[in-house]
PDB file of all heavy atoms in Angstrom:
ATOM      1  N   VAL A 160     108.565 152.546  50.451  1.00 96.00           N
ATOM      2  CA  VAL A 160     109.509 153.643  50.010  1.00 96.00           C
ATOM      3  C   VAL A 160     109.033 154.135  48.654  1.00 96.00           C
ATOM      4  O   VAL A 160     109.025 155.380  48.409  1.00 96.00           O
ATOM      5  CB  VAL A 160     110.929 153.128  49.943  1.00 96.00           C
ATOM      6  CG1 VAL A 160     111.829 154.047  49.119  1.00 96.00           C
ATOM      7  CG2 VAL A 160     111.464 152.826  51.327  1.00 96.00           C
ATOM      8  N   PRO A 164     106.975 157.411  50.619  1.00 93.00           N
ATOM      9  CA  PRO A 164     108.340 157.581  51.159  1.00 93.00           C
ATOM     10  C   PRO A 164     108.288 158.360  52.481  1.00 93.00           C
ATOM     11  O   PRO A 164     107.555 159.342  52.604  1.00 93.00           O
ATOM     12  CB  PRO A 164     109.037 158.346  50.062  1.00 93.00           C
ATOM     13  CG  PRO A 164     108.027 158.804  49.131  1.00 93.00           C
ATOM     14  CD  PRO A 164     106.821 158.018  49.341  1.00 93.00           C
ATOM     15  N   SER A 165     109.068 157.907  53.416  1.00 94.00           N
ATOM     16  CA  SER A 165     109.175 158.553  54.727  1.00 94.00           C
ATOM     17  C   SER A 165     110.577 158.080  55.273  1.00 94.00           C
ATOM     18  O   SER A 165     111.123 157.092  54.884  1.00 94.00           O
ATOM     19  CB  SER A 165     108.121 158.139  55.661  1.00 94.00           C
ATOM     20  OG  SER A 165     108.208 156.732  56.009  1.00 94.00           O
ATOM     21  N   ALA A 166     110.933 158.833  56.308  1.00 94.00           N
ATOM     22  CA  ALA A 166     112.251 158.507  56.944  1.00 94.00           C
ATOM     23  C   ALA A 166     112.158 157.158  57.597  1.00 94.00           C
ATOM     24  O   ALA A 166     113.094 156.336  57.491  1.00 94.00           O
ATOM     25  CB  ALA A 166     112.595 159.555  58.012  1.00 94.00           C
ATOM     26  N   HIS A 169     112.433 154.339  54.878  1.00 95.00           N
ATOM     27  CA  HIS A 169     113.758 154.236  54.380  1.00 95.00           C
ATOM     28  C   HIS A 169     114.660 153.537  55.409  1.00 95.00           C
ATOM     29  O   HIS A 169     115.456 152.700  55.102  1.00 95.00           O
ATOM     30  CB  HIS A 169     114.379 155.585  54.048  1.00 95.00           C
ATOM     31  CG  HIS A 169     113.911 156.138  52.724  1.00 95.00           C
ATOM     32  ND1 HIS A 169     114.586 155.861  51.563  1.00 95.00           N
ATOM     33  CD2 HIS A 169     112.857 156.901  52.372  1.00 95.00           C
ATOM     34  CE1 HIS A 169     113.921 156.410  50.503  1.00 95.00           C
ATOM     35  NE2 HIS A 169     112.854 157.037  51.044  1.00 95.00           N
ATOM     36  N   GLU A 170     114.411 153.899  56.698  1.00 95.00           N
ATOM     37  CA  GLU A 170     115.210 153.297  57.788  1.00 95.00           C
ATOM     38  C   GLU A 170     114.888 151.807  57.904  1.00 95.00           C
ATOM     39  O   GLU A 170     115.911 150.994  58.081  1.00 95.00           O
ATOM     40  CB  GLU A 170     114.860 154.023  59.059  1.00 95.00           C
ATOM     41  CG  GLU A 170     115.670 153.527  60.234  1.00 95.00           C
ATOM     42  CD  GLU A 170     115.336 154.283  61.511  1.00 95.00           C
ATOM     43  OE1 GLU A 170     115.309 155.529  61.473  1.00 95.00           O
ATOM     44  OE2 GLU A 170     115.128 153.647  62.574  1.00 95.00           O
ATOM     45  N   ALA A 173     116.579 150.041  54.981  1.00 96.00           N
ATOM     46  CA  ALA A 173     117.993 150.013  55.174  1.00 96.00           C
ATOM     47  C   ALA A 173     118.390 148.913  56.167  1.00 96.00           C
ATOM     48  O   ALA A 173     119.340 148.266  55.953  1.00 96.00           O
ATOM     49  CB  ALA A 173     118.506 151.343  55.572  1.00 96.00           C
ATOM     50  N   ASP A 183     125.920 148.171  50.665  1.00 92.00           N
ATOM     51  CA  ASP A 183     125.819 149.255  49.698  1.00 92.00           C
ATOM     52  C   ASP A 183     124.381 149.597  49.445  1.00 92.00           C
ATOM     53  O   ASP A 183     124.007 150.774  49.378  1.00 92.00           O
ATOM     54  CB  ASP A 183     126.557 148.850  48.399  1.00 92.00           C
ATOM     55  CG  ASP A 183     128.056 148.852  48.536  1.00 92.00           C
ATOM     56  OD1 ASP A 183     128.559 149.405  49.482  1.00 92.00           O
ATOM     57  OD2 ASP A 183     128.697 148.171  47.687  1.00 92.00           O
ATOM     58  N   ALA A 184     123.568 148.665  49.277  1.00 92.00           N
ATOM     59  CA  ALA A 184     122.118 148.857  48.984  1.00 92.00           C
ATOM     60  C   ALA A 184     121.505 149.514  50.230  1.00 92.00           C
ATOM     61  O   ALA A 184     120.667 150.416  50.156  1.00 92.00           O
ATOM     62  CB  ALA A 184     121.399 147.603  48.678  1.00 92.00           C
ATOM     63  N   ALA A 185     121.922 149.088  51.422  1.00 91.00           N
ATOM     64  CA  ALA A 185     121.389 149.693  52.697  1.00 91.00           C
ATOM     65  C   ALA A 185     121.771 151.182  52.783  1.00 91.00           C
ATOM     66  O   ALA A 185     120.888 152.015  53.161  1.00 91.00           O
ATOM     67  CB  ALA A 185     121.978 148.909  53.885  1.00 91.00           C
ATOM     68  N   ARG A 186     122.954 151.513  52.451  1.00 91.00           N
ATOM     69  CA  ARG A 186     123.429 152.925  52.496  1.00 91.00           C
ATOM     70  C   ARG A 186     122.575 153.755  51.514  1.00 91.00           C
ATOM     71  O   ARG A 186     122.063 154.822  51.806  1.00 91.00           O
ATOM     72  CB  ARG A 186     124.905 153.134  52.118  1.00 91.00           C
ATOM     73  CG  ARG A 186     125.781 152.899  53.328  1.00 91.00           C
ATOM     74  CD  ARG A 186     127.159 153.412  53.028  1.00 91.00           C
ATOM     75  NE  ARG A 186     127.903 152.508  52.097  1.00 91.00           N
ATOM     76  CZ  ARG A 186     128.495 151.381  52.488  1.00 91.00           C
ATOM     77  NH1 ARG A 186     128.573 151.041  53.750  1.00 91.00           N
ATOM     78  NH2 ARG A 186     129.180 150.655  51.610  1.00 91.00           N
ATOM     79  N   GLU A 187     122.329 153.196  50.308  1.00 89.00           N
ATOM     80  CA  GLU A 187     121.507 153.885  49.351  1.00 89.00           C
ATOM     81  C   GLU A 187     120.072 154.006  49.814  1.00 89.00           C
ATOM     82  O   GLU A 187     119.402 155.080  49.668  1.00 89.00           O
ATOM     83  CB  GLU A 187     121.541 153.115  47.996  1.00 89.00           C
ATOM     84  CG  GLU A 187     120.800 153.836  46.844  1.00 89.00           C
ATOM     85  CD  GLU A 187     121.445 155.098  46.450  1.00 89.00           C
ATOM     86  OE1 GLU A 187     122.649 155.265  46.599  1.00 89.00           O
ATOM     87  OE2 GLU A 187     120.714 156.041  46.017  1.00 89.00           O
ATOM     88  N   ALA A 188     119.505 152.971  50.428  1.00 87.00           N
ATOM     89  CA  ALA A 188     118.090 153.017  50.929  1.00 87.00           C
ATOM     90  C   ALA A 188     117.949 154.032  52.074  1.00 87.00           C
ATOM     91  O   ALA A 188     116.921 154.549  52.237  1.00 87.00           O
ATOM     92  CB  ALA A 188     117.694 151.656  51.316  1.00 87.00           C
ATOM     93  N   GLY A 189     118.932 154.197  52.830  1.00 77.00           N
ATOM     94  CA  GLY A 189     118.940 155.084  53.966  1.00 77.00           C
ATOM     95  C   GLY A 189     118.898 156.586  53.586  1.00 77.00           C
ATOM     96  O   GLY A 189     118.745 157.449  54.442  1.00 77.00           O
ATOM     97  N   ARG A 190     119.038 156.887  52.350  1.00 71.00           N
ATOM     98  CA  ARG A 190     119.193 158.241  51.947  1.00 71.00           C
ATOM     99  C   ARG A 190     117.750 158.846  51.690  1.00 71.00           C
ATOM    100  O   ARG A 190     116.853 158.260  51.316  1.00 71.00           O
ATOM    101  CB  ARG A 190     119.911 158.377  50.658  1.00 71.00           C
ATOM    102  CG  ARG A 190     121.413 158.034  50.848  1.00 71.00           C
ATOM    103  CD  ARG A 190     122.185 158.235  49.589  1.00 71.00           C
ATOM    104  NE  ARG A 190     123.533 157.729  49.852  1.00 71.00           N
ATOM    105  CZ  ARG A 190     124.474 157.693  49.014  1.00 71.00           C
ATOM    106  NH1 ARG A 190     124.254 158.130  47.808  1.00 71.00           N
ATOM    107  NH2 ARG A 190     125.665 157.238  49.348  1.00 71.00           N
TER     108      ARG A 190
END
Side-chain angles (χ1 to χ4, degrees):
V160 166
S165 69
H169 281 272
E170 184 178 311
D183 288 342
R186 274 193 288 278
E187 185 65 30
R190 294 181 186 179

